[in-house]
């Protein structure tokens, strides 16, 4: 009989046997299983909503690109490529969540010497309510600093993506440490994990940047199934995004003082030099980069003519 049913019956009948007031091991097991199932449902729902969010975001971005003039679209596409490169570089530096190296970073950021890392002390420090287990909030708090660093400096950062990264790290840790299967990490589970070989591994971590949540067929199907209201809303958001990005491009040009119209007229090599020049706020440095690339092009063209 479920614990809630016992309580309900106890309130209705004063002659209930004494044993029905007792909270048994089976009752505890039932509550723990119920808690774990709720957490699983929450995570399943979060993943579905994040996938939907990412598909809407991709559709909106594509609509925004289509709304731009050809020149601004080319510049934005180049900036998008640059952002993807930045994301890959940052992802490669990320420590594997829950391993010793990553937790030592947290330990060190809290003012302790890295070499003095102690698993039991670390666990106690992050067991905020002192109940000898890490719940999902306590686990996610451990990864917040690392995720903040991952997204730091990236354009158009979405809080949804940051939270998804934190939640995935928490799920990963639960999967590898939670031997009881209740969705939480007890002190004994953490200490046991810290003694194993897996605790010292440094395998690369697959971030939300790396995960291909959907393919073109899924995106096409998703767009096709949008109702008229959702489509119109996305189109309006896309127009706003296009205007915002065009304003950023204009500001980008003004700050770098490089004539981006050259993108329309020169080779891919020179385009790359111009884009690199735009990273510098120093006009002379930028001019030199473009001049060197142009000179190299001219020399290469001269060699072709003589041969």
């Amino acid at each position: 009989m479920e614990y809630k049913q016992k309580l309900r019956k106890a309130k209705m009948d004063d002659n209930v046997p004494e044993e029905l007031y007792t909270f048994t091991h089976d009752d505890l097991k039932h509550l723990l299983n119920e808690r774990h199932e709720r957490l699983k449902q929450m995570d399943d729902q979060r993943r579905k909503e994040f996938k939907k969010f990412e598909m809407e975001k991709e559709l909106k971005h594509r609509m925004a690109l289509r709304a731009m003039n050809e020149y601004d679209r080319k510049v934005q596409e180049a900036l998008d490529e640059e952002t993807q490169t930045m994301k890959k570089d940052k992802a490669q530096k990320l420590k594997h969540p829950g391993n010793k190296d990553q937790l030592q970073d947290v330990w060190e950021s809290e003012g302790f010497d890295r070499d003095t890392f102690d698993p039991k002390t670390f666990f106690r420090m992050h067991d905020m309510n002192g109940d000898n287990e890490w719940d999902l909030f306590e686990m996610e708090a451990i990864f917040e600093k690392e995720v903040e660093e991952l997204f730091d400096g990236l354009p158009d950062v979405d809080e949804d993506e940051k939270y998804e990264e934190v939640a995935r790290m928490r799920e990963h840790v639960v999967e590898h440490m939670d031997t009881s299967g209740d969705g939480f990490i007890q002190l004994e589970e953490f200490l046991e994990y810290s003694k194993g070989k897996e605790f010292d591994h440094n395998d690369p971590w697959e971030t939300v940047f790396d995960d291909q949540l959907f393919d073109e067929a899924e995106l096409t199907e998703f767009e096709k199934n949008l109702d008229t209201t959702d489509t119109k809303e996305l189109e309006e958001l896309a127009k706003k995004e296009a205007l915002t990005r065009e304003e950023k491009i204009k500001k980008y040009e003004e700050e770098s003082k490089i004539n981006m119209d050259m993108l329309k007229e020169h080779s891919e090599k020179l385009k790359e030099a111009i884009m690199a020049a735009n990273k510098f706020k120093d006009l002379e440095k930028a001019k030199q980069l473009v001049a060197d690339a142009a000179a190299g092009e001219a020399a290469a063209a001269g060699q072709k003519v003589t041969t």
Side-chain angles (χ1 to χ4, degrees):
M1 183 183 296
E2 292 186 4
Y3 183 58
K4 290 179 181 178
Q5 292 176 315
K6 290 183 180 181
L7 289 179
R8 192 179 300 115
K9 185 171 183 179
K11 289 178 181 178
M12 296 171 59
D13 185 359
D14 292 335
N15 298 317
V16 174
E18 183 66 28
E19 63 267 19
L20 287 184
Y21 287 103
T22 305
F23 190 81
T24 67
H25 176 73
D26 287 340
D27 292 321
L28 176 61
K29 185 177 179 181
H30 170 76
L31 288 178
L32 290 176
N33 288 338
E34 192 176 75
R35 181 176 70 169
H36 179 60
E37 186 59 31
R38 283 200 305 270
L39 288 173
K40 184 177 180 299
Q41 290 172 2
M42 287 168 58
D43 283 328
D44 288 343
Q45 185 62 29
R46 188 205 77 242
R47 283 189 290 269
K48 289 178 184 177
E49 290 177 357
F50 182 70
K51 182 176 180 178
K52 179 175 180 287
F53 167 79
E54 287 291 293
M55 287 196 286
E56 287 178 345
K57 181 181 175 182
E58 179 62 22
L59 282 176
K60 183 179 69 173
H61 187 59
R62 293 186 185 190
M63 289 176 181
L65 287 174
R66 290 197 293 266
M68 292 179 179
N69 61 54
E70 184 180 359
Y71 164 61
D72 284 340
R73 183 167 60 252
K74 287 182 178 179
V75 175
Q76 184 59 54
E77 288 170 348
L79 293 173
D80 288 344
E81 288 180 14
E82 188 176 290
T83 298
Q84 289 304 316
T85 301
M86 287 175 63
K87 287 180 176 180
K88 287 179 181 178
D89 291 342
K90 281 177 159 289
Q92 287 175 357
K93 298 173 184 176
L94 198 66
K95 302 290 178 64
H96 199 91
N99 74 352
K100 185 177 181 180
D101 199 22
Q102 186 264 325
L103 298 184
Q104 280 181 317
D105 282 353
V106 178
W107 175 267
E108 196 170 23
S109 73
E110 293 170 341
F112 298 94
D113 189 295
R114 189 179 191 84
D115 296 331
T116 65
F117 176 80
D118 177 67
K120 189 172 184 179
T121 303
F122 183 88
F123 187 94
R124 297 284 192 202
M125 285 171 58
H126 294 89
D127 178 18
M128 305 307 291
N129 59 1
D131 62 354
N132 276 337
E133 69 176 15
W134 283 345
D135 60 31
L136 72 165
F137 301 109
E138 290 166 331
M139 281 184 272
E140 289 176 0
I142 295 171
F143 306 119
E144 283 179 356
K145 184 177 182 294
E146 188 171 20
V147 172
E148 285 293 336
E149 291 175 356
L150 173 66
F151 284 84
D152 184 45
L154 295 176
D156 306 320
V157 174
D158 284 302
E159 291 301 317
D160 299 78
E161 289 183 339
K162 288 166 70 172
Y163 178 65
E164 178 67 17
E165 189 67 60
V166 169
R168 289 184 183 198
M169 289 180 173
R170 184 253 307 160
E171 285 183 295
H172 173 78
V173 166
V174 168
E175 181 184 348
H176 288 79
M177 296 187 194
D178 178 28
T179 54
S180 67
D182 64 357
F184 291 66
I185 307 298
Q186 280 73 42
L187 172 61
E188 294 76 14
E189 291 174 327
F190 179 71
L191 294 180
E192 189 63 31
Y193 181 81
S194 70
K195 297 173 187 176
K197 293 181 180 179
E198 197 172 359
F199 190 56
D200 293 313
H201 75 77
N202 287 300
D203 293 342
W205 171 249
E206 187 176 274
T207 68
V208 291
F209 305 149
D210 305 312
D211 192 8
Q212 186 67 39
L213 292 171
F214 51 86
D215 55 27
E216 284 296 321
E218 285 182 285
L219 188 62
T220 301
E221 186 67 19
F222 177 75
E223 184 176 14
K224 187 172 69 174
N225 290 329
L226 288 174
D227 61 33
T228 306
T229 303
D230 289 337
T231 302
K232 285 184 178 179
E233 184 179 345
L234 268 182
E235 288 172 348
E236 288 301 315
L237 290 172
K239 288 177 184 177
K240 291 178 182 178
E241 180 179 322
L243 289 173
T244 300
R245 292 185 182 279
E246 285 167 355
E247 288 171 4
K248 285 183 179 180
I249 291 168
K250 185 177 179 181
K251 184 179 178 183
Y252 189 68
E253 290 174 311
E254 290 170 352
E255 287 179 350
S256 62
K257 295 183 174 61
I258 297 296
N259 183 0
M260 296 293 285
D261 283 335
M262 294 174 72
L263 282 172
K264 303 175 187 177
E265 304 168 4
H266 294 284
S267 70
E268 288 301 320
K269 186 175 180 181
L270 187 51
K271 289 177 188 178
E272 290 173 10
I274 295 169
M275 293 305 299
N278 274 282
K279 294 180 183 179
F280 295 91
K281 304 307 176 188
D282 183 341
L283 178 58
E284 295 308 314
K285 176 71 174 177
K287 283 182 177 178
Q288 189 60 51
L289 278 169
V290 177
D292 290 347
E297 257 192 2
Q303 286 179 353
K304 286 182 180 179
V305 171
T306 56
T307 56

